[in-house]
Amino acid sequence: QVHVVESGGGLVQPGGSLRLSCAASGFTFVSYAMSWYRQPPGKERELVASINNGFSTNYVDSVKGRFTISRDNGKRTVYLQMNSLKSEDTAVYYCYAEWGGLRFWGQGTQVTVSS
């Protein structure tokens, strides 16, 4: 049974930080590329960051220098460290796993950046 579960979301002030975690089970985690997507209120879901099975990373321009994606294959967990948060970072953040034709989504965790 496949499980992809996000945690770590919450309410933070502008300029603050959050660390999201995505715990995965039920598949060969080390083989998968892992990504974080987000969907702000009233907008479409977008890719925020990704890390492949060789630890190569990519980021959307709006988060470069502020967000860091990482993975711990031993813990079967991917992280998104978010610093210098802005109001426009407010969204539901989703964890996504992909290997070939196999794709798995988490249920999402809410991040709200507000004073």
Side-chain angles (χ1 to χ4, degrees):
Q1 188 174 6
V2 172
H3 293 280
V4 180
V5 182
E6 303 96 334
S7 63
L11 174 65
V12 296
Q13 294 182 332
S17 298
L18 280 176
R19 188 195 195 201
L20 305 183
S21 297
C22 172
S25 62
F27 61 95
T28 307
F29 181 84
V30 67
S31 299
Y32 281 68
M34 303 295 298
S35 300
W36 288 96
Y37 284 74
R38 68 184 180 188
Q39 187 166 20
K43 300 181 68 175
E44 294 185 346
R45 191 174 301 186
E46 68 171 349
L47 176 63
V48 178
S50 62
I51 182 167
N52 68 11
N53 56 12
F55 301 95
S56 178
T57 60
N58 286 285
Y59 301 90
V60 67
D61 286 345
S62 60
V63 309
K64 288 181 178 177
R66 300 189 298 120
F67 290 11
T68 303
I69 188 171
S70 61
R71 67 191 295 163
D72 186 328
N73 290 335
K75 296 181 178 179
R76 296 186 293 274
T77 301
V78 63
Y79 305 95
L80 186 67
Q81 179 66 48
M82 304 185 295
N83 299 326
S84 301
L85 284 162
K86 305 174 181 179
S87 60
E88 55 261 42
D89 296 318
T90 295
V92 177
Y93 284 72
Y94 297 90
C95 184
Y96 174 72
E98 179 178 14
W99 182 57
L102 300 176
R103 301 172 176 88
F104 306 105
W105 287 94
Q107 294 301 306
T109 185
Q110 177 70 50
V111 173
T112 302
V113 184
S114 177
S115 299

